[in-house]
Structures are given as C-alpha cells and as structure tokens.
Amino acid sequence: MEEIYMNRELSWLKFNERVLEEAENEHVPLCERMTFVSIYQSNLDEFFMIRVGSLQDQILLGEKVKDNKTNMTPEEQIQAVVEQVHRLNKRKDKIYKKLMKEAEAQGVKLIDFNSAKEEEKKYLEKYFNREIAPLISPTVVGKRQPFPFLRNKEIYAIVVLETRSKKERLGIIPCTNNMLERLIEMPSGEGRYMLSEELILHYIGEVFKGYKIKGKSLLRVIRNADIDADALYDEDLDYREFMAELMKERKKLSPVRMDLSREIDGNVVDALCKYLDVDTKRVFRSESPLDLSFISQIQDLLRKKPELFFEKRVPQKSPDFRDGISVIDQIKEEDKLLSYPYESIRPFLKLLNEAAEDENVISIKMTLYRLAKQSKVVEALCEAAENGKEVVVLVELRARFDEENNIGWSRMLENAGCQVIYGLEGYKVHSKLCLITRRTEGKIEYITQIGTGNYNEKTSRLYTDLSLMTSNVEIGLEAANVFQSLSKGEVVEEAGCLLIAPKCLQSKVIEMIEDEISHARNGEEAYIGLKLNSLTDKKIMEKLVEASCAGVKIDMIVRGICCLIPGVKGYTENIRIISIVGRFLEHSRIYIFGCGKREKYYIGSADFMTRNTVKRVEVAAPVYQEKLKQRIQEIFSIMLNDNQKAREEDSDGNYHMVRNDAPACNAQEMLYQMAYDKNRL
C-alpha cells in the first residue's frame, strides 16, 4: 500500500513549493511576494538544520531506520531531497530576479559593480576603505592558520589566491558583522543600493595584496541543529543552565549544506567540502543573495506605497465579550471562542489581568511554549505572583529556536515568585493550557482556556488559531489533573472529556474514527473533518484509510506535511485533502467526528504527527455549546470552499490550485471581513 503514502520530507518540500507559488502569484502585491520568497528560504534553512540534520545523524550512527511509510533509507531520502531542492532553488532564483525587476520599476534597485555608475564606483571605493576595511578580519588558510570555524547561516567571502611560487591558498573574510550596514545606499538619492557582502567580494583583492586572484565567491553554511537534549542531560546539572550551554553547542554542529554565489573551480569546492566535512552533493549555487533577510529593508523603503502590500487588517473586538463587565463572569455565563487573527487576543489578556487582581482567585497555572519578545502574558503572571496568587508555569525550554528566549522568561517568572517547571523527561510539553482556580462562597470554580496556538501577542496577528474559554467543571478538573501530573513529572494516564497526549489522544482519535466506520458499515451517513498543520501518524492514517474503504466521507485541510495521498482507487477515494497557503499562517487544529446529533467538535494543540500524538504533552478540548459548534463548522466550511488560495492534492500526491465556477472564496479574507461586519452590527 506504499502508493497511498508520501515520504515526510518530500511532502514538506511540496509545502515549501506552495509558499514559493505565492511568491510568483501576480495577484499577490509585490512586497508580499517578497515576503513569501524570504519565507521559502528561511523555511528551507530550518528544514536542513532539523530534518536533513536528523537524517545525517542516522547515517553517521549507522542506524538502518527506514521511513515507515515509503520504506526509504536515510541516504535515499537525502538524495531525493537534494534533487528537489536543486529544482526549487532554480525556481526561487528566477522568481527573485523578477521581483527585483518589479521593485526597480517602483524606485528601488539593487546594483552590483557591473551596473554601478562611475561616480557610484568612486563612492563605493571610498566607502569600502572608510567603513568596511577597518572592521573586517581576513584569514589565509595555511599550515600556521587553520581553516576557521564558519558560523551557521552567516555569509563569508572566499577567494582562491595564487602565490608567487604558484601555490594556491584560500582567503576568507566574514561578511556578517553587526557594525556593517547590509544595504548600502548610493549618494544619488535615486533608490540605488548594494549589499555589503558584494562590496567586500569586489574589493577582496585589495585585502589580499601580493596574491593573484584565481576565483572568488560568497559562501554560507547551514549547520545541523538537531540535538536531543534529553539524551545528553546530566541530572546533576541545573536544567536551565544545561539548556543554555546546549544552545552554544548547537552553533558548532557539522554543516549539512553549503551555498555559493559564484561558479568556482571544482577542486576548490572539493577542498571546501573537505574542510567543512560536507557532501559535495549538498553544495548549492545561488543566483540570488545567500541571505534574503534584507528584503524587509526593501519593503520599508516601499512602505509609502500601500498598493504594494496587502490591505491593512486589524484584529477586531470580539462581539461575544461586553465592555465594562468582568471577563470571568462572562465566561461563567457561557463558553467563549476567539478566532485569531480575525479577533483580538485582548479578551484573553484581560482575563489574565483580571485573575491577577481577583481576590477570589487562588491560582493560575499555565503552559508556555513560544512567547512574544515583550510578553504581556508574562507580565500578568508576574503581577499575579506578586499579588500573592499561586502561579505555576511550565516553560518548555526545548521549544526549538526559542530556547534562549524561554530561559530569560523563566528567570523573570521565578524572580517574581512563580513556581516554574521545565517540562518532562522524554516529552516536550506543547499544550496550550491555562487554568484559573477560584474559591467563592466555599465553592471551587475553574476557568479553563485551551488553545491551538501559542500565548504570543505577535503571532496572534499572523497565525490563524482558536482559543476556547470555559467554566465547565469537568474540563477544569481534567486540566487540574494535567497540571498536577506535570508538577510530579508524570503524564496523564487516563482522561474523560479531554484528549491528552501522550497516553490519551491517539487512542481516543482512533476510537472516534472506528465509531464512524461502524456507522458507515450500518448504512448510516458517516463523516470526519480534520484541520491540521501536518499529518504523519501511521496508525491514524491507516485507520483513515479503513474509514474511507468503509464509505466514511473525510475532508482534510492540511497546511504542510501530508503523508497520506487521497483519491487512490480502492483505498482513499472518499478522502479529500486541501492545503491553504495565504496571507496568514494556517495554524488552528480542528477535529470533527460524526453527523447531525452525533457531531463532536474538538480544538487543540496537536497535529496528527507521531511526535505530537505519542511523544509530547498535548491537550485537545471538546466544544459543547451549540453556538460555538456552529461557528467552528462555519469556519471549516468556508475553508473547504476556498477557490483562491486552496490547493487540492490529487491521487499522485501533487497539488493543484482549486478552480471552479463557484463564487470567489478566499477563506482568510472572507473570515476577516466577517469579523469586521460583526463589529458594525
């Protein structure tokens, strides 16, 4: 049955290709297309650092682990990845060139020395000698000067030097320097700029005088960042300090990719690969700049032209919350649901601030995974602790690439008097769970919030997420059990209404799929609707295939990795899968099981990936109130009807834009407009 499954890594590359499609979509404003090409590159960097790094580790350790869906070895997966990346990068270079040509028509041009005017060349020579030359640190690799350590993702100018005795040497200059302006403006005031690394490369001969220049290029390495913290942890160490040291160690891991900006002699490439211990097959030649982060500066230069950007949208006030009335009291009246970025996160922040000052609140307990740089959530928790509340916060220090940020927040929380837990051995805590416990008139009350996204004010404006707030006692008691287990370093073994990974989510999902299979086999209408970021869990996919064969209708909205191929005759012909890549990052998770009166709705933090379902602490909550069920169904249906940003996966595993005769439906824009319209009522 391998024909119904796709390799995880290749499926991810298909997702990044969909990102690239948005960069070349002429219906998307110019500056937003620039953002998409930049996202493509940063996505690819992280993919190599984590996924290719993991495959490389498997090869180095001699592990004969094959992909359980396609039976591919690590070597075969890397080979297939490299082939696809070469293809995609050529497409990326072509798109970048077109975008910069369009930017030139808008008054911003990136030049090199070939296109520089004579007066600009004179200015650049003076600029190099005055602003750059005093700050650079050149190295000539030789017996007394070993090949230097090249930092992850930083740019270097390399040059092949020939001595008077005809011997070849390698010269290297770091180009990434906080003291240097990346984008150098020409003095003409005509919107002409040059990248500092191109200027360094041009004048590299002036730095290495006395040598003949035989070849030169810019170079960038991407290093493995896949470190298993639990495998390395020594119990005698302070965990937070251990994680801080681990972050330093990550920066030194072996390279998994090398990018070059110029064609240089193959022998030189071989020598570089030998120095860096990177496979020559993983050397990529790029016609666009090696680091596209400067694009944000180009966008700033064009900010006065609103037509080059998406129409400004502001998260709206939720009509379900009334001003001047306690948020806690409103949640006690009925459950509340916030839909980001269409609605503002403020009611939730107001809930935290209110709880911090409410004399009836005994405790606030919360799991934190990724936070904003200036976190109002942390401020509210610190205030609560300073007001004498019991505040228990699980800060996941292993949140990839947010470790340093979280280490800082954990110190601040502890200093304010919060009890900070650093997660569980062997399991990342990825759940988005907040529990406020109150005592009123001798009774204990719970206000529980369960979300699909992080407690991050910045991403709540960029990611689509759902946040459920409820006073349901059963949910509150089970949330309390989650925190009690975390405090003891344990996982929840049994759950009632909540779906709680690692022990009580995958099995319950499979049970609900089996229920639908039973109804279908009895000749009844049966249905499953799923919205996920990724689908890789083999057990769940096998059960979905069984459901399809039984006649269960299955709709899935899977933004990223999807290892299941729909529409395969005899296996997945009752499954439809779409992916929406648009202005906002689709991030919410919705699980729907059943039809009519049997319908069950859940929202939660877990994708259907093995790492989420059995290797992390995740929480999904049932939605009980009919009004909220209808709202979630409306959101889900609008996305299913998207014919502007949705791509449908075919029976060969390829994605095609959804195009039909139905009225135009851009789900994200429609949901935003609905939020605006509700506010006008």
Side-chain angles (χ1 to χ4, degrees):
M1 288 210 313
E2 287 179 16
E3 69 272 14
I4 64 170
Y5 295 116
M6 188 184 299
N7 173 262
R8 168 186 170 146
E9 319 309 343
L10 298 182
S11 179
W12 185 89
L13 287 174
K14 284 180 182 288
F15 159 66
N16 213 27
E17 185 167 16
R18 297 195 288 279
V19 172
L20 205 51
E21 284 175 3
E22 288 300 293
E24 64 185 353
N25 184 345
E26 293 188 359
H27 295 291
V28 176
L30 172 61
C31 287
E32 307 295 351
R33 279 183 275 148
M34 289 181 173
T35 296
F36 280 111
V37 80
S38 180
I39 290 171
Y40 164 84
Q41 188 199 55
S42 58
N43 279 351
L44 194 65
D45 289 347
E46 189 170 322
F47 173 74
F48 268 85
M49 289 163 68
I50 303 304
R51 297 306 308 166
V52 177
S54 174
L55 292 169
Q56 179 171 285
D57 288 345
Q58 289 175 32
I59 294 169
L60 292 173
L61 293 170
E63 296 178 5
K64 303 296 182 183
V65 182
K66 290 187 177 183
D67 172 31
N68 69 347
K69 290 168 271 295
T70 58
N71 217 30
M72 293 173 75
T73 64
E75 290 92 344
E76 288 170 338
Q77 292 177 69
I78 289 179
Q79 182 181 343
V81 162
V82 167
E83 287 173 6
Q84 289 301 314
V85 172
H86 276 296
R87 177 182 67 83
L88 291 173
N89 277 355
K90 284 179 183 175
R91 188 173 176 184
K92 179 258 299 180
D93 288 342
K94 189 176 176 182
I95 292 167
Y96 171 82
K97 188 176 180 181
K98 185 175 186 298
L99 292 175
M100 295 313 293
K101 195 169 182 180
E102 289 185 44
E104 184 180 348
Q106 297 296 334
V108 177
K109 180 175 173 60
L110 210 57
I111 66 167
D112 55 22
F113 261 82
N114 292 330
S115 58
K117 300 172 184 175
E118 281 306 312
E119 61 269 25
E120 289 172 339
K121 290 177 181 177
K122 291 175 185 176
Y123 170 77
L124 287 167
E125 183 178 10
K126 289 178 182 176
Y127 186 95
F128 177 81
N129 290 327
R130 185 180 69 248
E131 303 289 338
I132 295 179
L135 298 174
I136 58 178
S137 305
T139 297
V140 177
V141 179
K143 289 181 181 178
R144 296 182 182 179
Q145 185 65 44
F147 190 86
F149 178 80
L150 304 188
R151 294 175 180 272
N152 186 37
K153 298 199 288 186
E154 296 192 1
I155 297 172
Y156 295 83
I158 60 164
V159 60
V160 183
L161 307 167
E162 185 178 272
T163 65
R164 290 187 178 89
S165 58
K166 300 296 181 183
K167 289 184 179 179
E168 286 189 355
R169 293 280 186 268
L170 202 60
I172 301 175
I173 299 175
C175 297
T176 307
N177 187 323
N178 292 334
M179 302 293 288
L180 299 179
E181 286 286 340
R182 178 90 190 278
L183 214 54
I184 303 167
E185 185 177 7
M186 299 301 104
S188 63
E190 296 174 356
R192 293 164 64 84
Y193 297 84
M194 177 180 274
L195 292 171
S196 58
E197 64 263 28
E198 288 289 345
L199 185 57
I200 292 170
L201 190 66
H202 180 80
Y203 282 112
I204 202 164
E206 297 297 312
V207 178
F208 296 103
K209 290 180 178 176
Y211 294 95
K212 181 182 177 182
I213 305 297
K214 293 198 69 183
K216 61 184 179 179
S217 177
L218 296 171
L219 175 148
R220 182 172 176 260
V221 295
I222 301 299
R223 293 185 175 274
N224 188 348
D226 188 53
I227 295 181
D228 184 348
D230 285 319
L232 299 173
Y233 179 52
D234 181 341
E235 288 187 2
D236 293 332
L237 300 174
D238 176 276
Y239 191 70
R240 185 167 58 199
E241 297 308 316
F242 163 75
M243 286 300 299
E245 288 302 313
L246 203 64
M247 294 314 95
K248 295 176 188 175
E249 194 62 35
R250 171 187 283 166
K251 295 169 185 174
K252 303 174 188 174
L253 292 182
S254 61
V256 288
R257 190 180 95 215
M258 181 166 71
D259 296 331
L260 295 171
S261 70
R262 306 281 197 285
E263 292 288 352
I264 53 175
D265 187 273
N267 293 331
V268 177
V269 174
D270 290 341
L272 285 168
C273 288
K274 190 174 179 182
Y275 280 128
L276 290 164
D277 192 22
V278 65
D279 193 318
T280 53
K281 292 174 184 173
R282 283 183 249 162
V283 177
F284 296 87
R285 158 93 168 81
S286 178
E287 292 181 11
S288 48
L290 303 185
D291 175 3
L292 295 177
S293 59
F294 70 91
I295 275 177
S296 61
Q297 291 174 264
I298 301 279
Q299 290 168 322
D300 287 342
L301 295 169
L302 296 169
R303 196 67 63 181
K304 290 179 182 177
K305 298 188 175 187
E307 69 275 12
L308 302 182
F309 297 85
F310 285 129
E311 178 188 353
K312 187 177 180 182
R313 295 286 201 178
V314 178
Q316 294 295 289
K317 177 178 176 291
S318 169
D320 289 346
F321 287 90
R322 306 185 301 280
D323 292 333
I325 301 172
S326 158
V327 173
I328 290 174
D329 287 344
Q330 292 184 65
I331 295 169
K332 285 167 67 178
E333 285 174 18
E334 62 175 8
D335 293 353
K336 304 291 184 183
L337 185 75
L338 291 174
S339 177
Y340 310 141
Y342 317 111
E343 293 175 330
S344 170
I345 195 175
R346 284 178 186 167
F348 174 69
L349 297 175
K350 194 173 178 184
L351 170 66
L352 286 181
N353 288 321
E354 197 175 293
E357 296 175 2
D358 185 344
E359 61 183 20
N360 293 320
V361 168
I362 304 166
S363 68
I364 304 173
K365 298 180 180 181
M366 204 165 179
T367 58
L368 300 180
Y369 196 75
R370 298 190 197 277
L371 293 160
K373 295 291 183 188
Q374 306 294 326
S375 176
K376 290 183 171 62
V377 171
V378 170
E379 287 177 14
L381 293 173
C382 289
E383 184 185 350
E386 287 161 1
N387 287 344
K389 315 292 183 192
E390 180 196 22
V391 180
V392 179
V393 187
L394 188 140
V395 181
E396 182 50 81
L397 298 187
R398 294 162 296 182
R400 187 96 63 181
F401 305 121
D402 266 352
E403 296 95 341
E404 291 180 32
N405 194 30
N406 287 2
I407 287 168
W409 286 128
S410 70
R411 290 194 176 109
M412 183 174 173
L413 288 161
E414 274 187 352
N415 291 338
C418 302
Q419 179 189 341
V420 179
I421 309 168
Y422 300 128
L424 301 180
E425 185 177 345
Y427 298 103
K428 274 189 185 179
V429 179
H430 188 252
S431 57
K432 323 303 179 193
L433 187 64
C434 175
L435 178 67
I436 297 166
T437 305
R438 303 173 79 234
R439 182 188 287 116
T440 57
E441 300 173 359
K443 290 193 308 181
I444 297 295
E445 295 177 346
Y446 297 109
I447 300 292
T448 313
Q449 183 273 341
I450 303 98
T452 66
N454 297 302
Y455 299 112
N456 186 316
E457 301 92 299
K458 182 180 177 182
T459 57
S460 73
R461 301 171 71 92
L462 303 170
Y463 297 2
T464 75
D465 273 306
L466 295 169
S467 174
L468 175 70
M469 287 166 272
T470 178
S471 61
N472 181 282
V473 175
E474 188 183 8
I475 289 176
L477 286 168
E478 291 205 8
N481 188 32
V482 172
F483 283 107
Q484 199 171 71
S485 298
L486 291 173
S487 296
K488 294 188 292 183
E490 300 171 355
V491 297
V492 173
E493 297 287 341
E494 291 183 14
C497 61
L498 297 181
L499 310 181
I500 307 171
K503 302 284 188 178
C504 318
L505 189 146
Q506 186 195 64
S507 57
K508 289 197 167 196
V509 166
I510 287 172
E511 279 176 23
M512 287 187 280
I513 298 172
E514 286 173 343
D515 283 346
E516 293 310 299
I517 292 171
S518 297
H519 285 288
R521 286 178 178 159
N522 289 335
E524 301 168 48
E525 189 181 359
Y527 181 77
I528 297 167
L530 301 171
K531 181 176 185 293
L532 308 163
N533 295 337
S534 300
L535 174 66
T536 68
D537 187 309
K538 184 83 177 291
K539 284 188 177 179
I540 290 178
M541 287 192 294
E542 286 173 342
K543 196 55 67 174
L544 289 170
V545 173
E546 187 183 335
S548 173
C549 292
V552 180
K553 185 187 176 189
I554 303 169
D555 288 322
M556 289 197 275
I557 304 164
V558 186
R559 182 199 78 219
I561 301 167
C562 183
C563 293
L564 186 62
I565 299 174
V568 178
K569 197 169 181 182
Y571 294 109
T572 58
E573 53 201 316
N574 285 312
I575 299 177
R576 179 182 185 233
I577 298 175
I578 66 167
S579 168
I580 294 176
V581 178
R583 173 175 182 171
F584 305 109
L585 183 81
E586 286 296 338
H587 195 255
S588 56
R589 288 87 163 187
I590 298 169
Y591 323 145
I592 305 169
F593 298 95
C595 308
K597 292 180 180 178
R598 294 193 300 102
E599 279 178 335
K600 296 177 184 175
Y601 290 81
Y602 291 84
I603 68 158
S605 54
D607 288 309
F608 287 176
M609 305 177 77
T610 308
R611 76 175 190 191
N612 296 86
T613 56
V614 296
K615 294 181 179 177
R616 287 183 174 182
V617 175
E618 305 272 13
V619 176
V623 178
Y624 290 134
Q625 288 193 358
E626 284 304 317
K627 185 171 79 169
L628 299 189
K629 286 183 182 180
Q630 288 170 16
R631 189 165 171 220
I632 290 171
Q633 183 60 60
E634 181 181 46
I635 292 168
F636 192 77
S637 297
I638 288 171
M639 288 187 289
L640 280 181
N641 290 326
D642 191 306
N643 56 11
Q644 301 296 303
K645 295 297 179 184
R647 283 92 168 159
E648 185 163 355
E649 187 180 4
D650 66 21
S651 58
D652 293 321
N654 297 316
Y655 287 80
H656 308 278
M657 295 297 298
V658 174
R659 291 289 181 260
N660 52 42
D661 296 331
C665 175
N666 179 327
Q668 293 181 351
E669 292 297 337
M670 186 176 286
L671 289 166
Y672 230 130
Q673 191 56 50
M674 287 168 62
Y676 272 85
D677 292 344
K678 283 179 185 176
N679 250 346
R680 293 193 188 105
L681 295 175

